[in-house]
Amino acid sequence: MPRLSKRFFQLNEVVEVARALIGKVFVTKIDGLITSGLITETEAYHQSEKACHAYNGRRTNRTEVLFGPGGKSYVYLCYGIHHLFNVTTGVEGEAAAVLVRAIEPLDGVDYMLERRRMTALQTRVSSGPGKLTQALGVTVKNNNTCLITAEDLWIETYKEIPQSRIVASKRIGVNYAREDSLLPWRFYLKNSKWVSSS
DNA sequence: AATTAGATGTTCT
DNA sequence: GAACATCTAATTA
């Protein structure tokens, strides 16, 4: 299936991109191995709210990618252990990104199991932001990659998903953002078992 | 089923 | 030195 276009990431609000990414396919080709998964859970982040690393327009080495044009990867290390994968959105100068929190494995399941040191397919292979990156081989080395053109990281279209299957809720793990933690900026696929447990 | 501790490294105060 | 967009294994019930 074709890749998502530059327009998809740049011409829509980050919350709409987060919703629209549900049901798309995240593909990686790392160490020559193709692995992919259906995106089942996402969260939106924007510089206007406290949960965002670039809250209030804060520019640092780390957040610089967020201010660039949409369609690039933003991968950072969380709790010193987990690599979390985001896609930037919007126009140059506006910091916003969508965190991919869970996938349903499609291609390269055996490689995913190996990377996760598992022997049988269970939801725990990819049902969380730190788990799917490990399954797909994504690390901070894949930060600041253009998803429109890169050879190792991209997102494709897939079958149409009925809007009625997409549910919004508050985001997970951002209580420090106080009232902004209540924003309904998390989206997931209803009735899918491949979502993070909350 | 629910709770807890421990792992780990980068960023920013 | 604290905080952190998490996960796992071990413990308690």
Side-chain angles (χ1 to χ4, degrees), chain A residues 143-164:
Chain A
N143 187 34
N144 203 355
T145 298
C146 177
L147 301 175
I148 318 299
T149 58
E151 302 281 325
D152 52 356
L153 221 58
W154 66 93
I155 300 177
E156 296 181 358
T157 61
Y158 199 61
K159 295 183 234 172
E160 199 69 24
I161 293 282
Q163 285 298 305
S164 58

Side-chain angles (χ1 to χ4, degrees), chain A residues 84-142:
Chain A
L84 268 53
F85 171 78
N86 302 246
V87 193
T88 67
T89 72
V91 295
E92 173 82 37
E94 178 194 26
V98 176
L99 170 68
V100 177
R101 291 190 54 88
I103 60 161
E104 171 180 342
L106 293 177
D107 293 322
V109 173
D110 290 343
Y111 303 135
M112 297 191 206
L113 292 178
E114 194 177 332
R115 287 181 180 134
R116 296 276 295 133
R117 297 166 202 277
M118 293 170 57
T119 50
L121 186 56
Q122 303 168 75
T123 55
R124 45 180 295 115
V125 75
S126 59
S127 59
K131 301 178 195 175
L132 88 269
T133 53
Q134 190 182 10
L136 296 186
V138 175
T139 69
V140 291
K141 284 188 290 190
N142 303 289

